[in-house]
Amino acid sequence: MTEATVKIRIRDLHRAFGTKVVLDGVDLDVEAGSSTVIIGGSGSGKSVFLKHVIGLLTPDRGSVEVDGVTVHQLRGTDLTRFRRKFGMAFQEGALFDSMTVADNVAFPLRRLGSIGRDEVDDRVRECLALVHLDGVGDKMPAELSGGMRRRVGFARAIAHRPEILLFDEPTTGLDPVTKASIDELIIDFRESLQSTLVIISHDMGSVFRTADKVAMLYEGRIIVHATPRELLTLEDPRISEFLRRDLETWATPP
Amino acid sequence: MSNSIEAFFEEIGRFFRMLWQVLVWTPRRPFDGRQWLLQMVRVGVNSLPVVLLTAMFTGMVMALQTTSTLQRYGAERYVGSLVALSMVRELAAVLGGLVIAGRSGSAMGAELGSMRVTEQIDALEVMATDPVHYLVVPRVWATVFMLPLLVALSDAIGIWGGYVVSVLLLGTNPVAYMETTFQYMEFSDLFSGLVKAAFFGLLISIIGCQQGFYARGGAAGVGRATTRAVVFASIAILISDFFLTKVLF
């Protein structure tokens, strides 16, 4: 493997909730500018993993380093400055339903204070255009469809031009056409924003469309870290089981 | 059994943790005036009709009840005094508190609870916004400021309700009624009622926000948070009222 710059370095990450061990020694390197998809069954700790990367949760043991800085040691303004590197798109969008779409997208800009006040409106319009949602700025989130809400969530995540974009199950629960368009957006982001992408998914179709590297989380550890093509050639029963299950959900009509 | 004791102390711990965080975050910037105003309108202005209605009918019933009781001792000229003192020292604050617990405390539990389960609270944090600072601080201070104001108005309308019933329905002399109303009242009576109200406001808002904040488990979890916000706040009001009365008099 060539020496690419490591953006996110995770070492020996442990986390338990009560007696339930969720992460049991996760090791992973994410290269700058790459797109890494984390796969794993429901309840395998993918979301918990992602929340450690952005510092929403503190590990019991081990560390997450971003650009050489250990995340869980940051406090106060250092943590605020650190969070500026990230944009996160939540599973169902997690839009603030008391605000208009435009105010939602403007929120990180106003809060993180990365650009001047007068530029905010332009940036909001630009971001909504990027996710193909021109002209919905005045609507409330409740007026939008599920797919649109997620795209607004994307617009909000990219608004402050983050170096790292995190996606928590961006396509779960959407119809195939919307799924494909969401995947295309994600690919576009990587081209246009030059960001490092970490995506959580259990939808293999999306994985093959969006991933440079796939990492599989199984019983609290990363058991594979490979390109999608390599993944298909591996003969690990835990992986083939996962792939087979996914194929079955494709084959069975809902 | 040991589980419920543990849960009880967990709630107490969360209450003081939330209170502490509110105190720490209150003076910090940015100050979001719009949020404060919005919450004050919700707690104060929008609750005005139901709180005043409660106070008015309480004053009216008090007049009816105490007249028939005091007549037995020939002491009916003290009705005004009794109604006024009961309202000002006790009833306006407690009833107002219970109404606000049901109206605003539940709303806080439900709103923050649904923000929690839909990851909106995580989203705030990711965007470098402390959720306690942004969501809880304005709600707490709005309730602490507005509840005493509501109670002050309740005092007035409760006394007026008692007056109307006594004078119009029971034929008491209006001048005599007014005289006894204020004859025995001291400033400390009024003050203690308002202090109670502010304290109840603190309990209601912290408990409401805390229940929402720690909600988990989808729609059912939000429902649970809402119920507990009202039940715990009401219990806290009733119990603390006893001790406050003991301390304040």
Side-chain angles (χ1 to χ4, degrees):
Chain A
M1 198 173 91
T2 50
E3 256 319 297
T5 0
V6 175
K7 188 81 178 166
I8 307 172
R9 187 191 302 274
I10 294 142
R11 286 290 175 272
D12 197 34
L13 190 64
H14 284 76
R15 175 69 198 231
F17 294 96
T19 53
K20 192 177 183 294
V21 176
V22 178
L23 301 178
D24 191 20
V26 174
D27 291 299
L28 186 67
D29 286 341
V30 176
E31 290 161 20
S34 73
S35 161
T36 303
V37 180
I38 317 279
I39 59 171
S42 303
S44 59
K46 301 187 299 284
S47 293
V48 171
F49 168 78
L50 208 60
K51 284 179 181 172
H52 278 91
V53 173
I54 200 165
L56 282 174
L57 292 173
T58 313
D60 294 335
R61 190 143 59 83
S63 66
V64 176
E65 282 175 29
V66 176
D67 293 331
V69 178
T70 307
V71 177
H72 68 267
Q73 288 171 352
L74 296 169
R75 296 280 179 279
T77 48
D78 289 337
L79 186 61
T80 307
R81 207 168 309 130
F82 168 78
R83 292 247 166 90
R84 255 177 227 166
K85 288 179 198 260
F86 285 93
M88 180 156 174
F90 287 87
Q91 211 172 108
E92 307 277 344
L95 303 179
F96 304 126
D97 33 34
S98 57
M99 295 179 199
T100 63
V101 164
D103 282 336
N104 262 288
V105 179
F107 193 90
L109 297 172
R110 294 187 178 130
R111 282 282 157 167
L112 298 166
S114 39
I115 57 171
R117 276 164 184 277
D118 40 330
E119 294 168 62
V120 169
D121 287 347
D122 289 338
R123 182 68 73 83
V124 167
R125 219 167 297 130
E126 190 185 313
C127 290
L128 285 175
L130 260 175
V131 297
H132 314 301
L133 283 175
D134 316 72
V136 302
D138 294 330
K139 290 205 157 103
M140 298 303 279
E143 297 172 67
L144 305 179
S145 70
M148 286 165 97
R149 271 204 294 275
R150 283 188 213 201
R151 280 190 278 160
V152 175
F154 285 11
R156 187 174 70 178
I158 61 167
H160 61 289
R161 304 268 156 85
E163 297 164 33
I164 303 165
L165 272 169
L166 308 178
F167 295 89
D168 191 358
E169 307 214 353
T171 56
T172 301
L174 296 175
D175 62 273
V177 179
T178 317
K179 261 183 196 171
S181 72
I182 293 276
D183 289 339
E184 265 166 46
L185 271 179
I186 293 175
I187 298 161
D188 283 351
F189 287 159
R190 202 183 46 163
E191 307 286 310
S192 58
L193 304 170
Q194 306 276 309
S195 305
T196 306
L197 269 53
V198 180
I199 305 159
I200 280 179
S201 184
H202 54 218
D203 172 6
M204 290 316 290
S206 297
V207 172
F208 288 113
R209 280 193 289 267
T210 54
D212 294 327
K213 283 285 186 67
V214 183
M216 181 163 175
L217 198 57
Y218 185 86
E219 291 183 348
R221 289 160 191 267
I222 299 286
I223 54 165
V224 192
H225 188 202
T227 64
R229 200 169 286 276
E230 284 166 352
L231 192 72
L232 291 176
T233 63
L234 291 172
E235 284 180 8
D236 189 319
R238 295 168 297 186
I239 300 164
S240 39
E241 167 76 7
F242 186 80
L243 295 177
R244 196 176 52 79
R245 284 235 176 118
D246 190 69
L247 280 176
E248 273 171 12
T249 57
W250 276 94
T252 10
Chain B
M1 188 61 194
S2 71
N3 267 349
S4 56
I5 292 172
E6 206 178 300
F8 173 76
F9 282 107
E10 192 175 16
E11 291 295 337
I12 302 278
R14 282 173 177 174
F15 175 87
F16 284 106
R17 191 186 147 86
M18 186 62 89
L19 180 64
W20 171 247
Q21 282 179 304
V22 166
L23 294 177
V24 167
W25 277 101
T26 297
R28 296 199 190 164
R29 278 152 54 87
F31 173 76
D32 197 339
R34 247 185 56 189
Q35 274 294 320
W36 283 59
L37 201 67
L38 180 76
Q39 296 306 328
M40 285 187 166
V41 169
R42 277 199 196 164
V43 176
V45 182
N46 297 349
S47 309
L48 203 56
V50 60
V51 170
L52 293 190
L53 194 80
T54 309
M56 188 174 79
F57 277 93
T58 306
M60 287 162 68
V61 163
M62 285 277 299
L64 276 181
Q65 290 281 17
T66 52
T67 304
S68 80
T69 313
L70 291 179
Q71 260 170 354
R72 299 175 199 181
Y73 312 101
E76 62 267 34
R77 65 194 182 89
Y78 294 113
V79 168
S81 181
L82 217 147
V83 169
L85 284 176
S86 314
M87 281 310 295
V88 165
R89 285 166 62 130
E90 186 65 40
L91 291 175
V94 171
L95 294 176
L98 292 175
V99 169
I100 293 297
R103 204 182 171 283
S104 304
S106 61
M108 290 173 200
E111 195 178 1
L112 268 61
S114 66
M115 287 186 78
R116 168 60 78 196
V117 302
T118 57
E119 295 186 303
Q120 291 178 50
I121 290 183
D122 286 335
L124 279 174
E125 219 167 315
V126 165
M127 290 183 279
T129 302
D130 186 272
V132 171
H133 189 215
Y134 186 75
L135 296 171
V136 182
V137 166
R139 283 173 172 75
V140 168
W141 294 122
T143 319
V144 171
F145 291 140
M146 293 316 273
L147 195 51
L149 292 183
L150 286 170
V151 166
L153 292 173
S154 297
D155 289 340
I157 204 158
I159 290 170
W160 180 77
Y163 172 86
V164 168
V165 166
S166 293
V167 173
L168 296 185
L169 237 57
L170 306 170
T172 312
N173 180 328
V175 179
Y177 188 91
M178 266 300 148
E179 210 176 77
T180 53
T181 292
F182 296 106
Q183 198 172 9
Y184 300 104
M185 197 188 297
E186 286 170 23
F187 180 72
S188 67
D189 294 323
L190 188 68
F191 185 71
S192 74
L194 299 183
V195 169
K196 274 184 185 176
F199 190 80
F200 295 160
L202 189 73
L203 291 178
I204 293 164
S205 52
I206 300 260
I207 292 172
C209 291
Q210 164 198 352
Q211 291 306 324
F213 215 77
Y214 291 100
R216 51 175 63 232
V222 176
R224 221 162 24 238
T226 312
T227 308
R228 289 158 68 127
V230 180
V231 172
F232 291 175
S234 305
I235 293 172
I237 286 172
L238 294 171
I239 293 175
S240 68
D241 181 48
F242 175 81
F243 291 101
L244 280 176
T245 309
K246 198 99 174 68
V247 171
L248 288 169
F249 295 99

